[in-house]
């Protein structure tokens, strides 16, 4: 082959490469995301062009796929109308939202059409065996339906007992449906359990499946991170715990057993939680279940517990969860407790936490001393200097991997659910949170927080400043990439 041909091929490759980089650069600029996110992508694209462009194509934009996007658009109005009609049937819903919780309530109502409902009963479950046994008992007593949705179902231990209970329910005619994330529950889908469950009559669906061909049409790192159970349209569960037995789960990670909570709920909020499951079911399968619910309102009016569901995810309410979190921080007047396993905040959240500490609020951030992601751990540590210097208390929990996710504001209200305080949960994952507006329930949650704090070591700013240089370098490198984590 002559030198001329080599030269032509070289120029063609150069033009193709330059055009690709400039085209992706133009797309990054025109998306108008947070400046830090855009700059991080541009830095990656120009530092390592081929890999950077490939990474942006794979992970740079939220792409649920054309079919899902069209289905979500067509589903919104029927589901919103159904919720409005349902709420109109509830008696005894004359109540006042507390002043501190009102801004979040109004935001969620406007963005997501989700009502706040009173007359609920809530039991805080905080031991894995207690959670799994309660769930198994409720499934065993089910008469009409068992709907479960989890990020992770990991076979083994007491998780298998829940599986047996679910299969027994299906065999006696109960409508049993199971939504599991493709990546989080990969071990489950590689096991014998999906076949066994389907043979027993359980409808098992793999949510957001991944695959080489799907890369071209759908973003592959969007995850269904919800933890949700609804039984007989009467009892609901949500919280931080996946369907796993901690004694059998990630025992080689060196972080100890995972520490979680779940809320067992009865009352008017249950059919609203049910509607979130059937939304997700329809998104994945196209099957509409809305008309199947014949709900007879159950009200635990002695408690007067007010709850509001806040679902979040791509194309669902935009930034409602991020804005609710910021609003909660700015509403704090005396004490603010934030409990999360993964903490990679954006600049507005860091500024809000520092501002709260500056105005005299006791801000307590409770994190696990070790978590199962070294990369996230470095990125998390990069924010400690600024927070500690502002007076934010950082407590490192050492009695296991603290996986609970909640934000407690004074003695007024709480946000409890599946959302981590990182960009993935706030912007990419499908999540769910409950706004709890009740003094008695807050007392239980604050007692839980104090128990966590008693098993945690406070981190001092002077002690933190003495860490080795190599750790500072690693933290700052991952800090630069934190907008992309």
């Amino acid at each position: 082959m002559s030198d001329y041909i080599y030269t032509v091929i070289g120029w063609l490759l150069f033009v193709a490469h330059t055009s690709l980089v400039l085209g992706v650069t133009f797309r990054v600029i025109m998306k108008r995301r947070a400046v830090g996110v855009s700059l991080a992508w541009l830095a990656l694209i120009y530092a390592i062009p081929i890999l950077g462009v490939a990474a942006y194509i794979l992970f740079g934009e939220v792409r649920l796929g054309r079919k899902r996007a069209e289905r979500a658009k067509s589903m919104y109005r029927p589901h919103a109308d159904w919720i409005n009609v349902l709420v109109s049937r509830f008696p005894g819903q004359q109540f006042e939202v507390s002043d501190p919780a009102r801004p979040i309530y109004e935001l969620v109502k406007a963005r997501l059409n989700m009502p706040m409902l009173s007359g609920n009963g809530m039991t805080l479950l905080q031991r894995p065996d207690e959670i799994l046994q309660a769930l198994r008992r409720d499934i065993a007593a089910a008469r009409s339906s068992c709907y479960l949705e989890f990020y992770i179902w990991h076979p083994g231990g007491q998780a298998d007992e829940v599986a047996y209970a679910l299969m027994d329910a299906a065999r006696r005619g109960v409508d049993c449906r199971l939504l599991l994330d493709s990546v989080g529950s990969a071990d489950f889908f590689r096991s014998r359990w999906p076949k066994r469950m389907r043979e027993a009559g359980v409808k098992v669906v793999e949510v957001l499946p991944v695959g080489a061909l799907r890369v071209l049409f759908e973003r592959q790192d969007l995850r269904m991170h919800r933890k949700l159970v609804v039984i007989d349209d009467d009892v609901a569960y949500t919280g931080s715990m996946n369907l796993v037995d901690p004694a059998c789960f990630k025992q080689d990670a060196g972080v100890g057993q995972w520490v979680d909570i779940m809320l067992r709920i009865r009352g008017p909020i249950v059919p609203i939680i049910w509607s979130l499951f059937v939304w997700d079911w329809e998104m994945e399968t196209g099957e509409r279940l809305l008309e199947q619910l014949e709900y007879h309102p159950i009200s635990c009016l002695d408690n007067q517990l007010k709850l509001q569901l806040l679902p979040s995810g791509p194309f669902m309410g935009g930034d409602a969860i991020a804005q609710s979190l910021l609003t909660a921080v700015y509403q704090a007047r005396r004490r603010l407790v934030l409990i999360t396993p993964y903490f990679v905040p954006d600049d507005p959240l860091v500024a809000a936490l520092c501002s709260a500490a500056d105005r005299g609020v006791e801000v307590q951030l409770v994190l696990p001393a070790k978590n199962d992601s070294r990369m996230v751990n470095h990125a998390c540590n990069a924010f400690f200097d600024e927070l500690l210097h502002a007076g934010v208390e950082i407590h490192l929990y050492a009695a296991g991997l603290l996986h609970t996710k909640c934000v407690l504001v004074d003695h007024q209200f709480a946000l409890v659910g599946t959302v981590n305080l990182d960009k993935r949960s706030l912007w990419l994952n499908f999540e769910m949170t409950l706004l709890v507006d009740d003094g008695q329930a807050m007392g239980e949650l604050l007692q839980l927080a104090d128990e966590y704090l008693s098993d945690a070591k406070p981190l001092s700013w002077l002690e933190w400043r003495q860490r080795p240089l190599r750790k500072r370098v690693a933290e700052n490198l991952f800090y630069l990439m934190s907008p992309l984590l």
Side-chain angles (χ1 to χ4, degrees):
M1 193 177 292
S2 67
D3 291 343
Y4 173 76
I5 295 177
Y6 279 120
T7 302
V8 170
I9 293 175
W11 273 105
L12 288 175
L13 291 174
F14 173 76
V15 170
H17 172 267
T18 303
S19 299
L20 185 61
V21 171
L22 291 177
V24 173
T25 298
F26 179 75
R27 191 166 182 90
V28 171
I29 293 171
M30 295 306 293
K31 281 295 179 180
R32 287 183 61 86
R33 286 170 294 198
V35 174
V37 174
S38 297
L39 290 178
W41 276 118
L42 291 175
L44 185 63
I45 290 166
Y46 282 92
I48 42 176
I50 301 299
L51 292 178
V53 167
Y56 184 81
I57 291 172
L58 292 175
F59 307 116
E61 298 178 10
V62 176
R63 293 176 294 126
L64 273 175
R66 181 179 58 84
K67 183 182 292 186
R68 277 196 180 89
E70 291 176 352
R71 187 175 288 164
K73 186 176 180 180
S74 66
M75 287 165 54
Y76 176 78
R77 180 44 55 192
H79 278 256
D81 290 344
W82 183 90
I83 288 175
N84 291 337
V85 170
L86 179 72
V87 172
S88 70
R89 297 174 180 172
F90 289 131
Q93 287 296 325
Q94 301 299 319
F95 63 88
E96 288 293 325
V97 181
S98 69
D99 289 339
R102 181 171 292 279
I104 298 177
Y105 158 73
E106 298 286 2
L107 173 67
V108 174
K109 187 72 173 67
R111 295 278 182 91
L112 302 171
N113 192 48
M114 284 292 171
M116 177 175 281
L117 294 167
S118 183
N120 299 287
M122 184 182 84
T123 303
L124 173 62
L125 305 173
Q126 50 185 299
R127 296 197 319 273
D129 58 338
E130 178 185 36
I131 294 168
L132 293 170
Q133 288 170 17
L135 183 57
R136 183 162 49 86
R137 284 195 301 269
D138 283 331
I139 293 173
R143 302 179 306 278
S144 58
S145 63
C146 293
Y147 295 166
L148 294 83
E149 181 172 1
F150 285 94
Y151 175 59
I152 300 173
W153 187 312
H154 183 79
Q158 293 190 61
D160 291 353
E161 297 302 317
V162 175
Y164 287 125
L166 190 63
M167 291 190 294
D168 288 343
R171 291 189 186 101
R172 65 175 184 268
V174 176
D175 181 21
C176 296
R177 300 173 189 259
L178 180 60
L179 289 171
L180 296 176
D181 183 78
S182 177
V183 173
S185 297
D187 288 343
F188 175 88
F189 285 111
R190 287 193 292 262
S191 74
R192 57 185 177 142
W193 285 107
K195 181 180 179 181
R196 293 183 65 181
M197 285 188 176
R198 290 179 177 124
E199 288 175 348
V202 180
K203 301 176 181 70
V204 182
V205 172
E206 184 177 359
V207 181
L208 296 172
V210 297
L213 293 178
R214 295 178 181 271
V215 169
L216 301 175
F217 308 103
E218 303 170 6
R219 181 166 172 170
Q220 296 293 280
D221 67 331
L222 302 179
R223 303 278 38 101
M224 180 64 70
H225 198 243
R226 292 174 181 147
K227 290 88 177 168
L228 179 162
V229 178
V230 181
I231 299 170
D232 286 345
D233 317 319
D234 176 42
V235 177
Y237 290 77
T238 190
S240 65
M241 185 169 165
N242 290 291
L243 210 298
V244 303
D245 185 335
C248 306
F249 181 62
K250 288 194 174 183
Q251 289 298 294
D252 58 349
V255 295
Q257 289 196 8
W258 291 40
V259 178
D260 281 291
I261 64 167
M262 290 292 272
L263 305 178
R264 184 182 185 272
I265 301 162
R266 300 191 70 203
I269 199 65
V270 172
I272 305 298
I273 297 174
W274 180 90
S275 74
L276 181 58
F277 177 91
V278 301
W279 170 282
D280 291 337
W281 185 269
E282 186 172 346
M283 277 289 291
E284 290 302 314
T285 68
E287 180 184 6
R288 180 159 296 176
L289 303 177
L290 275 180
E291 292 78 13
Q292 294 189 13
L293 180 66
E294 296 180 3
Y295 187 73
H296 304 287
I298 296 173
S299 185
C300 307
L301 292 177
D302 289 343
N303 293 327
Q304 290 295 323
L305 173 62
K306 294 168 286 184
L307 297 173
Q308 184 180 33
L309 177 63
L310 201 174
S312 58
F315 306 127
M316 185 178 288
D319 59 350
I321 183 61
Q323 292 301 320
S324 296
L325 177 60
L326 287 174
T327 301
V329 175
Y330 282 115
Q331 286 295 102
R333 293 295 177 266
R334 297 183 302 278
R335 185 185 182 193
L336 175 67
V337 184
L338 304 99
I339 304 169
T340 181
Y342 308 110
F343 181 72
V344 187
D346 56 12
D347 290 337
L349 179 55
V350 172
L353 293 173
C354 292
S355 173
D358 286 339
R359 66 175 185 268
V361 177
E362 182 183 16
V363 182
Q364 297 173 309
L365 178 61
V366 189
L367 307 171
K370 296 180 181 179
N371 66 40
D372 59 333
S373 173
R374 182 173 297 181
M375 181 173 64
V376 171
N377 193 58
H378 284 309
C380 169
N381 292 348
F383 295 93
F384 285 3
D385 265 342
E386 185 176 356
L387 293 169
L388 289 169
H389 187 65
V392 174
E393 298 177 21
I394 298 176
H395 299 262
L396 302 180
Y397 182 87
L401 196 156
L402 182 59
H403 196 243
T404 301
K405 307 123 190 303
C406 64
V407 177
L408 312 176
V409 180
D410 297 330
H411 205 288
Q412 298 288 336
F413 69 89
L415 296 169
V416 184
T418 69
V419 177
N420 298 309
L421 300 185
D422 62 10
K423 297 177 180 65
R424 173 160 297 283
S425 273
L426 295 175
W427 302 103
L428 295 178
N429 289 344
F430 291 90
E431 307 274 6
M432 62 183 296
T433 301
L434 281 178
L435 172 59
V436 181
D437 184 18
D438 179 86
Q440 182 177 343
M442 279 298 298
E444 287 187 77
L445 292 168
L446 285 168
Q447 182 179 353
L448 174 70
D450 288 335
E451 291 174 5
Y452 289 158
L453 286 165
S454 68
D455 287 324
K457 177 185 176 183
L459 183 65
S460 73
W461 186 65
L462 290 177
E463 176 188 1
W464 182 245
R465 294 293 294 171
Q466 294 173 3
R467 70 197 186 283
L469 178 61
R470 58 182 173 79
K471 288 190 175 182
R472 297 189 192 189
V473 172
E475 290 158 8
N476 287 327
L477 285 174
F478 282 104
Y479 173 79
L480 293 176
M481 299 305 297
S482 64
L484 309 183
L485 296 179

